[in-house]
Amino acid sequence: MTLRVHVCTWNVRVTQPPDEDFRGFLHLDNDEVLPDIVAVGLQEVDAKPQSLLIEYIKENSWVKILQAYLGAYGLVKLKSIRMLGMVHLVAVHSKHLPFVRDIRPGYCKTALLGLLGTKGAVSLRFTLYGQSFCFINSHFCAHAEYEEQRNLVVHPEYQSVSQSLTFPNCTPQKAMDHSYVFWMGDLNYRINETIENIKGLCAKQEYSTLWEHDQLLQGQKQGKCFVNFHEGELKFPPTYKYKPGTNDYDTESGKYRKPAWTDRILWKISEEKNNSVQMEAYTSRQSYLTSDHRPVGATLTVDLSDAISSMEDPIIWKPDLMSLPWYGNEDGLCVYVVKNYKTYSWDWIGLYRVGFQHVYDYEMYEWAVGDGDEYGENGCAVLFDCLPEEPGPYVMCYYSYKLDCIISVSDPFEILPPRDEDKDPVEVQIEQPTEDV
């Protein structure tokens, strides 16, 4: 099996989501090559106290709109996490959900001697088909003269993101020990050239020449940062600093910033997985103009051909015993068999509309049978009381409380409109015969 992974990063400059089509940003604009995993890293999301307080009540506006796009294409959010201005979202296609395990968030603060989370990293790790994945979203210190501080943050010999980012109660625990590590973000590396030379090379689109002066690339060659990480060739314009609303570099304002590739995506694979990741595309999205940064996306393929046979769906759904089709407002009997999984009394089964966005986006749920693994081939029965009125395709998902994830998804099935059994029968007018006079 080959998985397509799309990783994207954007410093949104404390703006709200624009009224634009985000399918290109999320690599959803080609139905024939949709991704299996999408990871989004945002930086400089509004982190004012009132904004953070509102998010205790409702979803962050960026996460809300992005997960709506993802859900429309069958991608389900595993988790979204936040550390002040950094927001991290990872979604997996629903067909892979039964094989996801050990979802864990991670945080690393690097500002003010590690006490402040305005800079640093947020991360999400999980296993898929038994293989470990780690996605890291970072925002590093700015300005050209702070190159050494950025290198210290990622150098493996220091207490930094690469060393202190760990995950409890899973294997592996260290971020850099995972089979597949994808690192994205506003890394803030600059170009060691004069502004005149940078603008001249950009005007001639000689990006390969300009790339040789990039601080990140030079640091890699010297062994100072991102050792053993890979990156696609930079064939797109520098992603910072633009005049918002235009494609013109802001080189004349009070900040006077030289154009640079501050926004980057890199990946690292373990030795035993060598050559299992291939780059399909690495580009910036020049059409999104609201920020002074341009979003960057990387699409990669991951060869998992040696990892499929060990995974088995622990829930066998029995549609032949469910009295399908189901009708709105009526009860629905769900029958399933548990195999090679120890059930728990707080497991539950959710009824979801096809295209659901996250694990709690169910229409309704019922508690699973607590000792369901002891029922053998006879299976377990759960009654959904008063099904949704709206017809359409639905699925059932089994949620494991112990594993904190969905471990099985049924095949789609239809719920039909409510049967109007209370409607009065049609009165038939019978003409009475007339008497002969």
Side-chain angles (χ1 to χ4, degrees), residues 17 19 22 71 77 82 115 130-132 164 184 188 215 220 241 293 296 304-305 333 347 356 367 374 394 402 416 426:
D19 185 18
F22 283 100
K77 182 184 73 174
R82 176 165 185 167
L115 299 176
Q131 307 302 300
S132 58
S164 61
M184 72 204 82
N188 258 319
Q215 290 180 345
Q220 278 188 302
K241 174 179 176 29
H293 291 251
V296 172
L304 291 184
S305 56
L333 183 66
D347 291 355
F356 67 100
W367 296 108
E374 300 178 2
Y394 290 77
K402 291 185 296 184
L416 302 181
V426 177

Side-chain angles (χ1 to χ4, degrees), residues 315-331:
I315 306 297
I316 301 173
W317 306 92
K318 306 294 288 185
D320 54 319
L321 302 177
M322 294 185 189
S323 301
L324 296 175
W326 288 356
Y327 293 86
N329 284 340
E330 298 184 10
D331 297 341

Side-chain angles (χ1 to χ4, degrees), residues 119 139-143 150 186-190 215 262:
K119 295 293 188 290
H139 193 186
F140 293 162
C141 58
H143 308 304
R150 287 188 285 272
D186 180 2
L187 307 184
N188 258 319
Y189 285 95
R190 306 307 170 100
Q215 290 180 345
T262 58

Side-chain angles (χ1 to χ4, degrees), residues 341-357:
Y341 166 73
K342 180 63 178 175
T343 58
Y344 191 72
S345 57
W346 283 14
D347 291 355
W348 48 268
I349 297 173
L351 179 66
Y352 296 81
R353 193 180 306 279
V354 168
F356 67 100
Q357 299 175 13

Side-chain angles (χ1 to χ4, degrees), residues 190-194 196-215 217-218 221 233-238 259 261 264:
R190 306 307 170 100
I191 300 172
N192 290 329
E193 262 292 355
T194 65
E196 291 77 14
N197 288 344
I198 294 174
K199 293 175 69 174
L201 291 170
C202 286
K204 293 184 287 186
Q205 298 186 2
E206 295 183 6
Y207 302 125
S208 58
T209 302
L210 190 60
W211 188 24
E212 292 298 319
H213 302 278
D214 173 68
Q215 290 180 345
L217 179 63
Q218 292 177 344
K221 290 180 177 179
E233 185 177 353
L234 297 177
K235 297 181 178 180
F236 49 87
W261 287 293
R264 310 289 276 271

Side-chain angles (χ1 to χ4, degrees), residues 158-177:
Y158 293 84
Q159 288 297 319
S160 58
V161 171
S162 59
Q163 288 295 294
S164 61
L165 192 58
T166 59
F167 309 91
N169 305 319
C170 63
T171 302
Q173 291 192 344
K174 290 185 177 181
M176 295 302 109
D177 292 340

Side-chain angles (χ1 to χ4, degrees), residues 220-291:
Q220 278 188 302
K221 290 180 177 179
Q222 298 167 10
K224 293 182 178 180
C225 66
F226 289 102
V227 177
N228 297 324
F229 274 82
H230 306 273
E231 185 181 17
E233 185 177 353
L234 297 177
K235 297 181 178 180
F236 49 87
T239 57
Y240 174 83
K241 174 179 176 29
Y242 289 87
K243 297 177 182 178
T246 74
N247 272 317
D248 300 325
Y249 288 112
D250 184 10
T251 58
E252 300 175 358
S253 69
K255 288 190 174 182
Y256 191 71
R257 300 286 186 255
K258 293 189 292 186
W261 287 293
T262 58
D263 311 278
R264 310 289 276 271
I265 297 168
L266 303 97
W267 74 94
K268 174 181 175 293
I269 53 180
S270 58
E271 291 184 5
E272 64 272 16
K273 303 298 179 184
N274 193 28
N275 298 322
S276 61
V277 175
Q278 301 295 325
M279 170 72 74
E280 279 194 354
Y282 189 32
T283 186
S284 65
R285 292 284 180 172
Q286 296 297 115
S287 61
Y288 299 96
L289 308 178
T290 55
S291 172

